[in-house]
Amino acid sequence: MKRYQNLLLLIAVVVLGVAPLWLVDKQEAGPDGEEVAIFGGADDKAKGVISEIDPDYQPWFEPLIEPASGEIASMLFALQAALGAGFIGYYLGVARTREKMKRDAEGNEDAAGR
Amino acid sequence: MHIMEGFLPVKHAIGWGVAAAPFVAYGIYSVKKQIAANPEQRMLLGVAAAFSFVLSALKIPSVTGSCSHPTGTGLGALLFGPAAMAPVGAVVLLFQALLLAHGGLTTLGANIFSMAIVGPFAAYAVFKLARSLKASLAVSVFLAASLADLLTYVTTSVQLAMAFPDPLGGFMASFAKFAGIFAVTQIPLAISEGLLTVMIFNALARFNPKELQDMKLTDTAEVRA
């Protein structure tokens, strides 16, 4: 069980992420014929609620730089994830090798001691 | 959980900034002290930051039909204490605010407060509580990380409800609306974050049993089991 724990956890994460794609029905197109987008960001939805509660509210500050397109934004997000994942992978590789070398060294000492 | 640039009234933006600043300052002090005492933990701090970097970049679909992302702050809070994650989370949020127009400079204080302060402190408290109730390490880590994630989004809902109370129902009606978007969407993602944190914890416990023992997170029996 312990041995397969991480594999089982990974499967559970994937299921949790993929299941909504089936569970959520695509909404009917509105009266104006425009399709209602699903799986947009929750942050954007909150923006909609703000303008519902307070229609007069005007954001008083604009982002300094905005990614020029959706493609560039997803590139930057991918870069963010890649940098993080790269570092974690490097660390685990170093830690694994270190542990293996330590174990080998201990094994040699035992052999020499006999 | 990112409140967008300009979407908090000036007073609220400044208020959350003032509230978050001492945590970030103390967090920097705390991290410096820990690294000075144990320089070999520097890499592990990098892992905690990297974990938050990865998880907060992953926008995952949820059952409500919108996408949101985990925060990844639970791991670092357990390894280095809750204060340490305030500056780490601040770096992640600053990166996203400056380069991705995700979140913003004026809302940075509020976003730091929810993701990098409330989340990590919740993770730490839940972990201690679960351990004192004799929950296993994996279960404690799972509960800590997932509740931290969920509470971050509840905090965002509180922040927005305070800034935009409903003209009829007031704060509570507003909170219900925002929590309906953020907290409900977040439930499956919070579970995912808990599971992912257990995974990385397993990996760290396997290859760095000594470090985790030094941090008093595990005892010998558990690592060997």
Side-chain angles (χ1 to χ4, degrees):
Chain A
M1 175 65 202
K2 185 86 185 166
R3 207 173 147 200
Y4 297 110
Q5 195 183 35
N6 269 10
L7 185 64
L8 292 172
L9 289 173
L10 185 65
I11 293 170
V13 170
V14 171
V15 168
L16 274 170
V18 174
L21 299 178
W22 274 278
L23 293 176
V24 178
D25 289 325
K26 199 157 171 47
Q27 282 167 348
E28 291 288 310
D32 48 359
E34 248 179 72
E35 292 203 9
V36 184
I38 52 170
F39 294 120
D43 295 345
D44 280 315
K45 267 197 179 171
K47 201 156 95 176
V49 172
I50 291 174
S51 50
E52 215 174 88
I53 292 175
D54 186 354
D56 299 328
Y57 186 79
Q58 289 295 327
W60 54 282
F61 201 81
E62 294 288 319
L64 299 176
I65 315 170
E66 220 160 329
S69 74
E71 274 69 24
I72 296 174
S74 56
M75 181 274 279
L76 287 167
F77 273 112
L79 190 67
Q80 186 189 335
L83 285 173
F87 189 86
I88 293 174
Y90 169 75
Y91 180 77
L92 288 177
V94 168
R96 182 166 186 225
T97 311
R98 197 179 55 185
E99 198 218 36
K100 190 164 174 285
M101 287 173 79
K102 205 162 80 185
R103 209 185 288 159
D104 287 353
E106 278 165 9
N108 287 341
E109 268 170 35
D110 284 353
R114 262 174 221 145
Chain B
M1 48 111 334
H2 292 78
I3 301 178
M4 298 214 198
E5 185 76 286
F7 270 88
L8 272 184
V10 183
K11 270 187 202 161
H12 287 259
I14 294 171
W16 289 112
V18 170
F23 287 93
V24 176
Y26 178 75
I28 292 171
Y29 164 78
S30 162
V31 166
K32 274 193 178 158
K33 209 172 80 176
Q34 290 188 59
I35 294 301
N38 302 295
E40 75 279 4
Q41 285 178 4
R42 192 183 300 257
M43 288 285 281
L44 210 49
L45 182 70
V47 169
F51 189 67
S52 186
F53 238 67
V54 177
L55 258 61
S56 63
L58 300 179
K59 303 207 179 162
I60 303 174
S62 175
V63 284
T64 54
S66 44
C67 286
S68 187
H69 59 86
T71 61
T73 55
L75 175 72
L78 300 186
L79 293 175
F80 291 96
M85 282 319 275
V88 172
V91 170
V92 175
L93 288 166
L94 196 63
F95 173 88
Q96 294 178 331
L98 287 177
L99 290 180
L100 292 162
H102 197 61
L105 294 177
T106 59
T107 52
L108 190 63
N111 290 336
I112 289 175
F113 203 89
S114 60
M115 181 175 129
I117 297 172
V118 172
F121 274 90
Y124 194 75
V126 170
F127 183 77
K128 290 282 165 199
L129 184 70
R131 290 301 273 167
S132 73
L133 295 173
K134 307 261 181 277
S136 75
L137 182 69
V139 170
S140 308
V141 170
F142 170 77
L143 289 175
S146 43
L147 288 173
D149 180 300
L150 197 59
L151 274 173
T152 295
Y153 281 78
V154 171
T155 306
T156 304
S157 310
V158 170
Q159 289 169 332
L160 285 172
M162 280 167 70
F164 300 99
D166 194 90
L168 297 175
F171 171 82
M172 282 318 290
S174 235
F175 175 70
K177 280 185 197 169
F178 287 116
I181 294 174
F182 282 124
V184 179
T185 301
Q186 202 62 22
I187 291 170
L189 272 71
I191 297 172
S192 292
E193 164 144 20
L195 299 174
L196 287 167
T197 309
V198 174
M199 281 172 67
I200 184 108
F201 223 86
N202 280 343
L204 292 175
R206 166 106 167 65
F207 300 123
N208 306 278
K210 194 183 159 295
E211 273 97 336
L212 295 198
Q213 275 171 44
D214 289 348
M215 291 167 152
K216 298 190 180 70
L217 281 168
T218 55
D219 47 52
T220 327
E222 265 170 333
V223 172
R224 289 197 182 145

